Amino acid sequence: MKRKAVMLQIVEDSTDEEMSPINTEDQKELDDFLVYTDPDHSSHFFQKLYNLYTRCELCDITLRVNDETIPAHKIVLASNSLYFEGMFLSNLMESSQNDVVIKEIDFNVLKSLVDFCYTSVIKIHSSNVFELLSAANMLQFDGIKKCCSKFLEGKLEPSNCLTIASFADLHTCHDLKDSAIEFSKKHFRQVIQSEDFISIPFDQIKTLLQSDVISVTSEIDIFHAIVTWIGADEIGRMGFFNDLFRLVRFLDLSPKVLVDIIEPHQYVQNNVECIKLLSDIKTSFLLPQTHILKQYQPRCLQLPSMIYLIGGETKRQVYDTIECYCLSEDRWRTHPRMSTPRDGLAAFTYDGKIFVAGGYDGTQSLNTCEFYDPVVEQWQPYHSMSVPRHAFSMAELNGWLYVAGGSDFVNTEYNSVERYDPIRDVWETVASMTNKREGLSLVSHDRILYAMGGENGISILNTVEMYDPRSGVWNNCCPMGYRRRYFGAAILDNRLYSVGGSDYDEDLNTVEIFEPRTNRWYPIPSMKRRRESVAVVAIDGKLYALGGACINRELDSVEVFDPIANQWEESGKIPTCKEGMAAVIL
């Protein structure tokens, strides 16, 4: 107390101009002052507590689960759990008892939580995380509850995300619930394949399908999901069909899908209200000005984020591979192989699947076809084309997959065109092009097909013709600025890009764009490399040119064109130097 008084006196009497000196005796007393801190005190203290706990010494509370007991110390439990703090400090009966029964918690889980109170360590793994989170929620171990939630976030998969979302909702884990729901929306096509999906209640599937940002490639995915869920318990769930059916954004579907898939389904045919709704929707297609869905809002469909490269060849080695580049992860990965090697094949996507056709297997040209479903990672055959085709092209228009041109790889070029119906698995012949075209490119835009370039057996072409299925006639339009065969083409920002290729012995790096509104071609900056048999796709607002060959040497380089910067930049490599492959996006 004397030292304290001296120090107060110094503070009170001091000014900026003068300070009373501390006399020698007082200074000596101050110098004799020592503060001791034991850096190991906390660890020694908790170790001693833990030793008392393990030896069941000085324990003043026993937790009982069925016939098993856990002796412990009230102060330790109350310091870690708001539940126990409230129990021991309240006027509840348990506050004066030395023996408390804990219900609805597994003994081993409770033992782990009590051990944590003494050690600050607990092991969380897949086999105990659900019970541990449930117990932590009940006993108010908030830190452990949060840690279990983070653990489950890292374990989200299409097969468990719906179960985890329901579990999180039951235990008020809001962040985990939100993460699980967002995951289920992002991986919806895989989620509807899981057993969890067919087990969810009506309210949960309704909330999921109402989302504007659910990740689907087409509204047909939503319809299939509804049919799958109803079909798991027709008697108990058929009463919900009408409510769920109205969640499909039908105006995002083509009339062909409405007529060929939706309308004939037995669930629709047996529901008068659904038939009337479809009738109104078909009317709105014919008379857009009488738009019957006043509250209609298109769903934000999944944007393509993957580039798939299929087949191709290197120095006469023909590939059966399919490789996928993920833009967000900037890495390539392989997928199950095709049943047949294919060079000079054609491919396109429909309903979230990759349809490939024709090509050359190293011995002969092919008319066989197969499709790949990335959700189940399996290839399946579909009906063959009428003739074998190599160096031809494929495009989708109004729910049909069109193939045009090509050759038999011997001496016959084609001007024939046929189209495939993925719903009925049939091909049918349509009007032939005005020119034979091997090594052409076929693209669709605004309900029109454009067939460009190629070789007719005599010369390489720069001509372009377009096909309107409503008239069933091919008509010529403005030719390209360069003759091209074995080149790439894609639609980007409503413009048609023609990329690379060859003109007799000269491989090209030139690029030009076609503006349909003005029926004119314009040159844009050339690629850094000449590329023949190049694969071209448009994705994420940019144009990708992958692989190809220059002077009979296969390439593995990739170039990307940014229309805003109006320039090409090299961007990584494909896994193998090759040409003649097909490229699609999903």
Side-chain angles (χ1 to χ4, degrees), residues 327-366:
L327 271 68
S328 60
E329 299 176 6
D330 188 27
R331 70 184 181 96
W332 288 89
R333 57 173 176 253
T334 58
H335 287 255
R337 296 170 181 266
M338 295 182 288
S339 64
T340 305
R342 299 176 188 269
D343 168 47
L345 71 161
F348 212 84
T349 59
Y350 178 80
D351 191 23
K353 302 176 180 65
I354 300 172
F355 288 77
V356 303
Y360 176 75
D361 65 2
T363 303
Q364 61 183 351
S365 58
L366 307 170

Side-chain angles (χ1 to χ4, degrees), residues 227-485:
V227 169
T228 298
W229 186 81
I230 295 290
D233 180 13
E234 285 190 359
I235 297 176
R237 295 177 176 177
M238 188 57 70
F240 298 122
F241 180 71
N242 186 45
D243 289 338
L244 295 178
F245 186 72
R246 292 178 178 276
L247 298 180
V248 181
R249 315 287 172 92
F250 291 105
L251 293 184
D252 284 340
L253 293 170
S254 68
K256 183 177 186 303
V257 171
L258 287 178
V259 173
D260 290 350
I261 296 181
I262 306 293
E263 193 170 42
H265 197 279
Q266 60 174 338
Y267 293 170
V268 177
Q269 289 297 310
N270 293 334
N271 191 303
V272 175
E273 292 186 21
C274 292
I275 293 175
K276 182 179 184 306
L277 176 61
L278 282 183
S279 176
D280 291 341
I281 290 168
K282 287 189 288 186
T283 299
S284 73
F285 276 116
L286 297 173
L287 303 171
Q289 66 274 18
T290 62
H291 204 292
I292 50 93
L293 299 178
K294 302 297 183 182
Q295 304 299 320
Y296 176 74
Q297 179 179 348
R299 205 184 304 270
C300 298
L301 299 181
Q302 177 183 9
L303 294 176
S305 61
M306 306 281 190
I307 300 175
Y308 288 83
L309 282 184
I310 309 117
E313 64 98 8
T314 303
K315 301 189 185 307
R316 297 185 180 180
Q317 177 185 351
V318 182
Y319 295 101
D320 58 2
T321 56
I322 176 170
E323 297 155 322
C324 170
Y325 175 70
C326 177
L327 271 68
S328 60
E329 299 176 6
D330 188 27
R331 70 184 181 96
W332 288 89
R333 57 173 176 253
T334 58
H335 287 255
R337 296 170 181 266
M338 295 182 288
S339 64
T340 305
R342 299 176 188 269
D343 168 47
L345 71 161
F348 212 84
T349 59
Y350 178 80
D351 191 23
K353 302 176 180 65
I354 300 172
F355 288 77
V356 303
Y360 176 75
D361 65 2
T363 303
Q364 61 183 351
S365 58
L366 307 170
N367 68 342
T368 58
C369 305
E370 52 191 311
F371 70 86
Y372 179 69
D373 187 343
V375 175
V376 297
E377 296 189 330
Q378 291 181 353
W379 287 94
Q380 295 289 336
Y382 66 98
H383 205 84
S384 298
M385 298 180 292
S386 62
V387 295
R389 296 180 188 268
H390 168 265
F392 64 112
S393 193
M394 177 186 290
E396 185 272 338
L397 181 62
N398 298 334
W400 296 88
L401 296 178
Y402 287 78
V403 297
S407 74
D408 63 0
F409 201 75
V410 181
N411 54 17
T412 302
E413 293 80 19
Y414 300 133
N415 64 346
S416 62
V417 181
E418 50 190 314
R419 66 181 186 177
Y420 174 71
D421 183 347
I423 298 170
R424 295 181 292 135
D425 188 29
V426 294
W427 289 91
E428 62 181 45
T429 301
V430 298
S432 295
M433 298 178 290
T434 59
N435 290 285
K436 295 181 178 180
R437 298 178 185 270
E438 176 192 11
L440 79 161
S441 283
L442 185 72
V443 298
S444 66
H445 176 64
D446 196 21
R447 300 184 180 182
I448 299 293
L449 284 176
Y450 294 87
M452 305 165 289
E455 180 180 5
N456 62 10
I458 301 174
S459 61
I460 296 176
L461 308 173
N462 68 342
T463 58
V464 179
E465 47 190 309
M466 62 183 192
Y467 175 76
D468 186 340
R470 290 167 292 189
S471 65
V473 177
W474 288 90
N475 293 298
N476 291 326
C477 57
C478 182
M480 297 183 290
Y482 292 83
R483 297 181 301 186
R484 300 177 189 271
R485 64 177 176 182

Side-chain angles (χ1 to χ4, degrees), residues 3 63 181 193 200 227 241 256 263 318 328 352 447 459 504 527 542 566 579:
R3 285 193 294 272
L63 305 179
I181 290 174
Q193 304 288 330
I200 62 175
V227 169
F241 180 71
K256 183 177 186 303
E263 193 170 42
V318 182
S328 60
R447 300 184 180 182
S459 61
Y504 293 103
M527 295 181 291
K542 296 179 180 179
N566 196 37
E579 61 176 313

Side-chain angles (χ1 to χ4, degrees), residues 116-272:
F116 170 81
C117 294
Y118 291 89
T119 64
S120 74
V121 175
I122 192 166
K123 289 184 178 180
I124 302 171
H125 44 80
S126 298
S127 61
N128 75 351
V129 63
F130 288 100
E131 290 183 312
L132 194 57
L133 190 152
S134 181
N137 179 65
M138 174 180 167
L139 300 180
Q140 295 179 273
F141 284 85
D142 293 338
I144 294 176
K145 176 182 175 182
K146 185 176 181 180
C147 189
C148 289
S149 293
K150 286 293 182 184
F151 180 86
L152 285 172
E153 280 188 36
K155 298 296 182 180
L156 287 171
E157 296 179 356
S159 61
N160 66 19
C161 59
L162 295 176
T163 295
I164 290 177
S166 298
F167 179 81
D169 185 40
L170 182 64
H171 294 87
T172 63
C173 300
H174 302 300
D175 290 344
L176 177 59
K177 177 185 175 182
D178 291 344
S179 296
I181 290 174
E182 289 305 310
F183 185 94
S184 65
K185 292 176 183 177
K186 185 177 180 180
H187 300 86
F188 182 76
R189 294 188 73 243
Q190 293 95 325
V191 168
I192 61 177
Q193 304 288 330
S194 69
E195 293 183 5
D196 276 7
F197 177 75
I198 61 175
S199 302
I200 62 175
F202 168 71
D203 289 343
Q204 191 172 359
I205 186 175
K206 181 179 180 180
T207 300
L208 188 60
L209 300 186
Q210 283 175 329
S211 172
D212 291 333
V213 294
I214 196 169
S215 182
V216 292
T217 56
S218 165
E219 283 297 306
I220 195 64
D221 293 336
I222 303 297
F223 178 75
H224 288 327
I226 294 169
V227 169
T228 298
W229 186 81
I230 295 290
D233 180 13
E234 285 190 359
I235 297 176
R237 295 177 176 177
M238 188 57 70
F240 298 122
F241 180 71
N242 186 45
D243 289 338
L244 295 178
F245 186 72
R246 292 178 178 276
L247 298 180
V248 181
R249 315 287 172 92
F250 291 105
L251 293 184
D252 284 340
L253 293 170
S254 68
K256 183 177 186 303
V257 171
L258 287 178
V259 173
D260 290 350
I261 296 181
I262 306 293
E263 193 170 42
H265 197 279
Q266 60 174 338
Y267 293 170
V268 177
Q269 289 297 310
N270 293 334
N271 191 303
V272 175

